[in-house]
């Protein structure tokens, strides 16, 4: 090591002692080692699978399976992809209804825990301690055992309609059954939500400008009701969308592939350039450009690299093949998927036809041959698997949500509710007007992760033969032996669900924070 | 008082030339140039956000500077691993928030680095730690946990912890700012004693009394650079720069 | 610092007026003005009392109905707990429970767990329990009951039930009144009477013991002929002995704690770590497995037996680590190289079929590792050595034919050697490293005993593990693996190095977004595909791996919470006194982080315990699968159709366990909250 005197003798350290070099070599080295390990594992797996005679393949997605599903919009799917999509829809169905029910129940329990009424808070507390400490699977199996073992079976003399049936064959309740017009009606409802929101904002603006009560919420509700009721009769208007979808289908099906390729390639380059420009602008201040650190160089490098790689991917043959598949122009699989078939499908749903979009219907028992069963087209008959899973995930999640709500209320409780009572509000009023809105902000992030847990927990329905995506997947790999593709499919599906859910939570989180300032 | 030569050669303790540092697009240091000799006690003052903390944190590489040079004890502060480690061992630092390790006793706090970095035996390190605790005036607290001590005592332990590595330069980052007024004196006394023993010190502080009494030189920082420097009597009685005058009028 | 003395004559707060039951009800059940008018509260109270009473009535009526066959639980208890464990070897299970119980009470004694509970509170609790029994008895409206009872009060005829109910009602009423007066008396005392909190679990265990000896249930004999028998025919005696041993051990533990508190804690921690492999692999190992394979004195050559492997790697490895951990010094180079040469030589001797170049390669790698370890002066330079060493090791792992256990050992030893210079240098650091290495080598050998194949040994499968035994094994093994993995992931995710951060974040988020059951499918059906051909693990081992993959992401998130709670100044201070990155992290940051995350980690433990029930779905015979499928569907017609009550039992069973753990955790959390500052 040379000893510089006071004079300017700038020295460069040797590479192996330079911390910046060491830092990046270690990181890139680990990255390369990992990629290499993944490569070795995949090679190994490919070889092993070939040796067992079932090479890795996605063909089952398009091939007829011959499996029957216990429930779903299509219990007799023609191909693997169709079966899996039935499973996905079933999973989303149970998650959605579970989230709604668990939120309502959990909020009630959370508030009840803070009640001054001893017995109410005690019961809420026992509920939480009870349901939280029993494994969810045990709970689901328990509900199934109750439904199968305790409820009385259907008898032939029960034939006919009632408001409620409960038997080992499942539970049947009245339902609004969607009819052909529901696609058009849904569009009108969505428009209604947007217009109602816009109205709300406008009324609030007027309130702020003129300082008079404008009943913003009432107006918004009214506007939505207009769409809700008016749409019931006017929904054929939405049939114009049919033309739009036809046009889109034409674009997806007939535009030259090369144009898509260049569009996507250009987009990826533009995205990378936009990132780089934005990043550089962030580093510039009135005092001049900041000196770039190694982290900055890394980020800019990665952005540029990714942009260029994506560009070459899209303009290459692989990009061409991908686009052909995504657009739905290649019919390698019998399952017709891609943008073109999707738009064609949607186009058939929007056709100016009238009729009520929903039909109210009571459940009904029919006795075709001495064996009573639920009529399939009346009411909503839920299988024991669905009821057990739904009850399980809902009651389980409600216990956790109750705790979250309680913690949220406690977090804002003290000073705020004292201030509210100093203003002369009742306790119930202060809860509703002051505490709960603020608690919502505290509660939201943990609530989001509970929703995610609930979504994942529905996979336990497999234990009671509920045909969700995991159960369908398992059926498929038991039959076809394609374990890895099914696992990759699960990964992709659940990752998208969790990305979607956390996206929503983050969006609201950010909005809440903005409101605060 | 003249700066004593305690270094191992002809090089000054610290040389800074045009040191610059950015945080994102905020420039914290915009060209600091100064030279500090062995045995010199330098007090750094300036308004908050003027970069004085960043400056002394750059001297032992808790922050890395992006332009210019810093040479400590003849070793240039570059990305060279060996230099950084060597400099850290020779430069002690005392923080505003003490930063004692709460899960270790006072004795363990002091002996941790000598044992693990200097490879000294436990008995050796402990006898040295007892001497240091004697020196900072709290020999009886060796087996307590930091949470059981007062702020002043904690800061004195922190000084002892730094001294345990036998540093030749000590950096103080606002050592009394987090203390209750009645505890400031006990810490300043320890620092005075240290200065009199010939230690090279850089002290960021708002204690003007300390600066007047102990400092050999005062650096005034603003907008990330040294606006004015000089001996204490010159600095406090006859400041040249407008910024300095304004600052002194606000705090005195 | 002088302590301020508070003024001597502090005014005492006025004593709270004594509230009678009516005042209490007025305040807590029928209060007005807080939640609206009195009517609302009264309505809530009455409605909920009715709901709860009806629910209790329904449940008890169901539980004690004549058709219930609770012998399905007691008769199959052994099946539920240990599945097919050989009857003659059940003593192994009892010994395991005994070791566990002694460790628990010694830990309680050593960490001075406890605190006091006031007699008044306890009496109030007992009173509430009796009142609950009384009310439930009133709501019970079944016509008959399964016959069960105490020896002096046995009744086999369902018609007897109504009179028994009267007896129960009278007894619970009397108990409630007695407890009430006891509570009153305790309240009137001047000073608050307290007993140690540990009395409560002891009383509970005593009750269980008493029940085992006295309560009788019908037990099927032959096809449909029922007779009554004690609920436990084989467990009463061992359980009683265990109870006595546990209590005795507690007092011994207290005695030991008073003699040498620090030593005892250190020994206990090691004992906890070692108890796991010892219980699973030595005490509960498949009894059929030949001990010759372990000792190597039979047909197996000594060097490829368990003991030989353990000796090579455990002891010689410790010596190498000890030497490598010395401060950099050229004099030790020769010694280390020599020892490593001995190991390499022994290994090539043990597996003579390996080609020559593999031996040469291994020797080269050993030398490279040692050279790297010894020339390291600054710990961060270790990164370079790590890169080189690991890359070479990866080569050897995949391309050199060698029993899998030795490959694993090579990696583990290399990792330990690479970290030696960081923690080494001091006597203490080197001792810690060696201490860590010994259980690691023990674990690796044991794991291969249990689940590995493609070693020179042939093993029985693990089917003798089952029931609740398996549940506990899965929970503990999964956690033991996921704690270190989670630690590494958490550190990587909070690191300042972007690629490490990215990789860790990606792993954690991907793993967490996918349900556990799919990971179990991955472990049971897909993991084998990724292993080199010929290497196969038992299903239990694969499932443990899957659980570890899943749990480590959650553990990582918990630890990350702890890391973020630590002031950045701590790290800076550690760096400023000259500690290296690794030393700052392991000596300063982690000890503090672990302490703050212990409550959250206990939460993970509870979740891990609950989640192990999922293995029932992939067909591992844990307690849940046995209760749901084996018992109600087995060929014995006595128990067909007992599904619902078995599920009742399972719910209760799991609840008792999880609730107990969570209560203990809560108490611990409170105790550190009070103790810290």
């Amino acid at each position: 090591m040379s000893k510089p005197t006071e004079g300017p003798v700038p020295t460069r350290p040797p590479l192996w002692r330079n911390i910046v070099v060491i830092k990046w070599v270690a990181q890139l080295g680990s990255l390369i080692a990992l990629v290499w390990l993944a490569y070795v594992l995949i090679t190994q797996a490919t070889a092993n699978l070939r040796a067992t005679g079932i090479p890795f393949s996605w063909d089952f997605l398009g091939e007829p399976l011959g499996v029957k599903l216990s429930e779903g919009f299509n219990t007799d799917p023609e191909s693997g992809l169709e079966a899996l999509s039935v499973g996905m829809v079933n999973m989303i169905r149970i998650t959605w209804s579970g989230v709604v029910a668990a939120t309502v129940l959990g909020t009630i329990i959370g508030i009840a825990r803070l009640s001054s009424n001893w017995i109410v808070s005690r019961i809420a507390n026992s509920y939480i301690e009870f349901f939280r400490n029993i494994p969810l699977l045990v709970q689901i199996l328990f509900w199934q055992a109750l439904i199968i073992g305790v409820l009385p079976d259907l008898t032939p003399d029960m034939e006919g309609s009632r408001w409620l049936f409960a038997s080992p064959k499942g539970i049947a309740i009245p339902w609004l059954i969607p009819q052909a017009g529901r696609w058009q009606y849904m569009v009108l409802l969505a428009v209604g939500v947007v217009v109602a929101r816009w109205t709300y904002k406008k009324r609030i603006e007027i309130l702020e400008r003129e300082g008079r009560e404008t009943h913003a919420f009432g107006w918004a509700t009214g506007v939505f009701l207009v769409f809700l009721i008016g749409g019931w009769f006017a929904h054929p208007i939405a049939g114009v969308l049919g033309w739009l979808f036809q046009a889109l289908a034409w674009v997806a099906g007939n535009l030259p592939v090369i144009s898509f390729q260049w569009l996507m390639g250009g987009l990826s380059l533009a995205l990378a350039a936009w990132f780089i420009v934005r990043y550089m602008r962030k580093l510039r201040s009135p005092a001049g450009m900041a000196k770039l650190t190694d982290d900055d160089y890394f980020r800019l490098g990665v952005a540029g690299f990714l942009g260029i790689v994506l560009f070459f991917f899209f303009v290459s043959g692989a990009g061409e093949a991908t686009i052909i598949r995504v657009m739905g122009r290649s019919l390698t699989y019998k399952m017709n998927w891609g943008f073109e078939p999707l738009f064609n499908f949607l186009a058939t749903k929007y056709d100016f036809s009238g009729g009520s979009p929903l039909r109210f219907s009571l459940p009904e028992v029919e006795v075709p041959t001495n064996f009573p069963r639920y009529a399939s087209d009346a009411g909503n008959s839920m299988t024991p698997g669905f009821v057990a899973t739904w009850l399980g995930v809902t009651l389980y999640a409600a216990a956790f949500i109750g705790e979250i709500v309680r913690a949220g209320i406690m977090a804002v409780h003290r000073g705020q509710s004292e201030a509210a009572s100093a203003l002369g509000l009742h306790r119930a009023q202060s809860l509703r007007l002051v505490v709960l809105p603020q608690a919502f902000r505290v509660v939201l992030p943990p609530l989001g992760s509970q929703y995610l847990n609930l979504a994942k927990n529905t996979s336990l329905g497999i234990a009671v033969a509920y045909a969700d995506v995991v159960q369908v997947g398992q059926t498929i790999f038991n039959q076809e032996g394609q374990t890895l593709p099914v696992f990759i499919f699960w990964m992709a599906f659940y990752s998208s669900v969790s990305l979607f859910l956390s996206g929503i939570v983050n969006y609201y989180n950010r909005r809440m924070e903005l409101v605060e300032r | 008082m003249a700066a004593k030569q305690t270094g191992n050669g002809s090089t000054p303790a610290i040389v800074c030339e045009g040191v610059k540092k950015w945080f994102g697009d905020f420039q914290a240091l915009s060209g600091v140039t100064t030279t500090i000799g062995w045995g010199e006690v330098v007090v750094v003052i300036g308004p908050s956000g003027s970069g004085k903390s960043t400056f002394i944190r750059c001297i032992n590489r808790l922050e890395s500077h992006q332009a210019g040079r810093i040479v400590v004890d003849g070793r240039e502060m570059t990305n060279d691993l060996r230099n950084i480690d060597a400099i850290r061992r020779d430069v002690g630092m005392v923080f505003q928030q003490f930063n004692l390790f709460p899960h270790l006793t006072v004795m363990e706090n002091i002996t941790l680095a000598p044992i693990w970095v200097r490879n000294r035996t436990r008995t050796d390190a402990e006898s040295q730690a007892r001497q240091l605790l004697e020196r900072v005036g709290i020999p009886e607290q060796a087996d307590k946990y930091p949470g059981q001590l007062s702020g002043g005592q904690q800061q004195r332990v922190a000084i002892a912890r730094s001294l345990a590595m036998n540093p030749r330069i000590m950096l103080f980052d606002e050592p009394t700012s987090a203390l209750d007024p009645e505890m400031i004196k006990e810490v300043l006394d320890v620092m005075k004693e240290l200065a009199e023993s010939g230690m090279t010190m850089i002290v960021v502080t708002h204690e003007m009394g300390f600066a007047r009494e102990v400092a050999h030189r005062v650096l005034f920082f603003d907008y990330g650079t040294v606006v004015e420097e000089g001996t204490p009597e010159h600095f406090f009685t006859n400041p040249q720069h407008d910024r300095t005058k304004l600052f002194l009028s606000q705090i005195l | 610092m002088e302590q301020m003395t508070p003024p001597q004559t502090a005014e005492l707060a006025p004593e709270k007026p004594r509230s009678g039951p009516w005042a209490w009800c007025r305040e807590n059940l029928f209060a007005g003005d807080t939640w609206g008018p009195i009517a609302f509260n009264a309505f809530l109270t009455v409605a909920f009392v009715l709901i709860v009473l009806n629910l209790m009535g329904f449940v008890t009526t169901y539980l004690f109905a004549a058709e219930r066959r609770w012998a399905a639980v007691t008769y199959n208890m052994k099946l539920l707990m240990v599945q097919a464990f050989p009857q003659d070897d059940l003593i192994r299970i009892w010994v395991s429970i005994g070791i566990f119980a002694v460790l628990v009470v010694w830990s309680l004694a050593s960490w001075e767990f406890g605190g006091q509970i006031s007699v008044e509170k306890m009496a109030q609790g007992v009173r509430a329990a009796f009142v609950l029994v009384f009310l439930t008895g009133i709501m019970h409206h079944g016509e008959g009951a399964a016959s069960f009872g105490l020896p002096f009060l046995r009744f086999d005829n369902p018609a007897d039930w109504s009179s028994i109910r009267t007896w129960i009602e009278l007894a619970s009423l009397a108990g409630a009144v007695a407890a009430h007066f006891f509570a009153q008396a305790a309240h009137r005392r001047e000073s608050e009477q307290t007993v140690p909190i540990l009395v409560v679990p002891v009383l509970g265990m005593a009750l269980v013991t008493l029940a085992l000896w006295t309560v009788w249930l019908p037990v099927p004999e032959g096809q449909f002929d029922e007779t009554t028998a004690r609920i436990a025919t084989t467990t009463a005696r061992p359980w009683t002995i265990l109870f006595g041993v546990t209590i005795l051990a507690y007092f011994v533990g207290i005695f030991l704690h008073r003699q040498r508190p620090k030593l005892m804690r250190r020994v206990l921690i090691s004992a906890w770590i070692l108890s796991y492999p010892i219980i699973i692999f030595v005490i509960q190992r498949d009894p059929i497995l030949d001990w010759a394979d372990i000792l190597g004195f039979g047909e197996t050559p000594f060097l490829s037996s368990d003991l030989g492997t353990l000796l090579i790697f455990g002891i010689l490895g410790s010596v190498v680590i000890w030497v490598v951990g010395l401060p950099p010094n050229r004099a030790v180079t020769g010694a280390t190289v020599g020892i490593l040469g001995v190991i390499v030589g022994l290994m090539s001797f043990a597996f003579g079929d390996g080609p020559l170049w593999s031996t040469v390669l291994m020797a080269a790698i050993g030398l490279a590792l040692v050279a790297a370890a010894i020339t390291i002066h600054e710990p961060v330079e270790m990164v370079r050595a790590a890169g080189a060493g690991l890359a070479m090791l990866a080569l050897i792992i995949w391309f050199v034919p060698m029993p899998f256990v030795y490959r694993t050992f090579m990696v583990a030893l290399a990792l330990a050697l690479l970290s030696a210079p960081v923690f080494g240098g001091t006597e203490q650091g080197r001792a810690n490293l060696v201490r860590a290495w010994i259980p690691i080598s023990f674990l690796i050998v044991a794991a291969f005993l249990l689940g590995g194949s493609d070693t020179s040994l042939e093993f029985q499968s693990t089917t003798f593990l089952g029931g609740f035994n398996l549940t506990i094994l899965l929970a503990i093994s999964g956690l033991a693996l996921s704690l270190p993995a989670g630690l590494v992931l958490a550190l990587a995710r909070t690191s300042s190095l972007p690629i490490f951060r990215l990789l860790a974040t990606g792993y954690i988020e991907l793993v967490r977004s996918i349900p556990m059951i799919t990971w179990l499918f991955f472990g049971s059906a897909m993991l084998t595909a990724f292993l080199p051909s010929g290497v196969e693990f038992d299903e239990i081992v694969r499932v443990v791996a899957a659980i570890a993959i899943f749990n480590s992401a959650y553990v990582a998130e918990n630890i990350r919470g702890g890391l973020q709670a630590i002031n950045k100044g701590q790290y800076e201070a550690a760096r400023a006194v000259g500690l290296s990155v690794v030393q700052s992290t392991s000596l300063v940051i982690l000890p503090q982080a672990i302490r703050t995350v212990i409550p959250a980690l206990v939460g993970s433990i509870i979740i891990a315990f609950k989640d192990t029930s999922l293995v029932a779905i992939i067909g591992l015979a844990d307690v849940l699968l046995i209760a749901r499928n084996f018992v109600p569907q087995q060929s014995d017609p006595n128990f067909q159709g007992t599904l619902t009550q078995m599920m009742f039992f399972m719910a209760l069973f799991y609840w008792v366990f999880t609730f107990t753990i969570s209560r203990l955790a809560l108490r611990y959390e409170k105790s550190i909250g009070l103790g810290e500052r």
Side-chain angles (χ1 to χ4, degrees), chain C residues 484-508:
Chain C
L487 188 64
V488 171
L489 283 170
L491 287 174
R493 195 172 180 177
T494 49
S495 142
S496 60
L497 308 180
I499 294 186
F500 287 160
R501 213 167 46 219
L502 202 72
L503 289 175
T505 312
Y507 176 86
I508 291 172

Side-chain angles (χ1 to χ4, degrees), chain B:
Chain B
M1 196 160 58
K4 272 190 285 182
Q5 284 287 323
T6 58
N8 60 349
S10 55
T11 58
I14 299 167
V15 179
C16 297
E17 282 172 15
V19 175
K20 292 183 183 175
K21 164 85 186 160
W22 287 263
F23 292 111
D25 61 356
F26 171 72
Q27 189 164 16
L29 296 179
S30 47
V32 179
T33 303
T34 186
T35 301
I36 294 164
W38 290 107
E40 202 177 359
V41 176
V42 175
V43 168
V44 180
I45 60 176
S48 66
S50 60
K52 47 194 198 305
S53 279
T54 310
F55 169 61
I56 70 166
R57 286 158 65 86
C58 279
I59 291 177
N60 72 346
R61 232 337 156 75
L62 286 179
E63 309 282 359
S64 56
H65 61 283
Q66 285 157 314
R69 299 176 66 207
I70 300 178
V71 182
V72 179
D73 188 14
R75 294 168 196 268
E76 172 155 13
M77 185 81 72
T78 55
N79 286 332
D80 191 337
L81 194 68
R82 184 178 289 176
N83 280 0
I84 293 170
D85 278 2
I87 287 170
R88 283 225 178 101
R89 280 172 214 169
D90 277 348
V91 179
M93 177 143 186
V94 174
F95 298 86
Q96 181 180 359
Q97 296 295 341
F98 329 137
N99 291 342
L100 292 177
F101 308 134
H103 62 299
L104 301 176
T105 61
V106 167
M107 178 57 80
E108 287 163 342
N109 260 289
I110 299 174
T111 56
L112 185 74
I115 289 178
W116 288 93
V117 181
R118 294 247 192 256
N119 287 331
R120 301 174 62 167
T121 63
R122 179 169 291 277
T123 41
D124 194 11
E126 283 187 355
S127 68
Q128 186 209 9
R130 279 185 209 291
Q131 285 170 12
L132 286 170
L133 283 175
E134 197 86 46
R135 190 170 168 192
V136 299
I138 38 173
E140 71 286 352
Q141 311 284 10
D143 294 321
K144 288 194 177 165
Y145 283 91
Q148 296 166 307
L149 304 182
S150 71
Q153 288 170 328
Q154 288 195 43
Q155 193 61 296
R156 284 187 278 164
V157 172
I159 295 172
R161 180 176 69 179
S162 296
L163 291 176
M165 289 293 282
N166 299 324
R168 303 200 299 156
I169 301 169
M170 285 284 283
L171 309 174
F172 293 84
D173 188 1
E174 306 202 14
T176 54
S177 298
L179 294 176
D180 292 338
E182 74 266 25
M183 293 168 185
I184 291 178
K185 187 175 173 298
E186 61 191 51
V187 173
L188 290 182
D189 284 348
V190 171
M191 288 166 63
K192 263 179 224 163
E193 188 267 334
L194 205 58
E196 282 157 14
S197 75
M199 176 71 75
T200 312
M201 289 164 64
I202 304 182
V203 185
V204 173
T205 188
H206 296 299
E207 295 295 325
M208 295 304 147
F210 178 82
R212 268 191 195 146
E213 195 178 338
V214 184
H216 301 145
R217 191 145 58 98
V218 176
L219 301 184
F220 178 71
F221 259 67
D222 203 2
Y223 295 118
T225 189
V226 181
V227 174
E228 184 161 359
E229 64 176 294
T231 57
E233 51 269 33
H234 175 253
F235 181 82
F236 285 110
T237 52
N238 188 18
Q240 302 296 309
H241 204 277
D242 289 345
R243 281 290 309 161
T244 321
K245 286 176 191 157
L246 182 66
F247 179 74
L248 287 175
S249 72
Q250 278 165 345
I251 61 160
L252 291 179

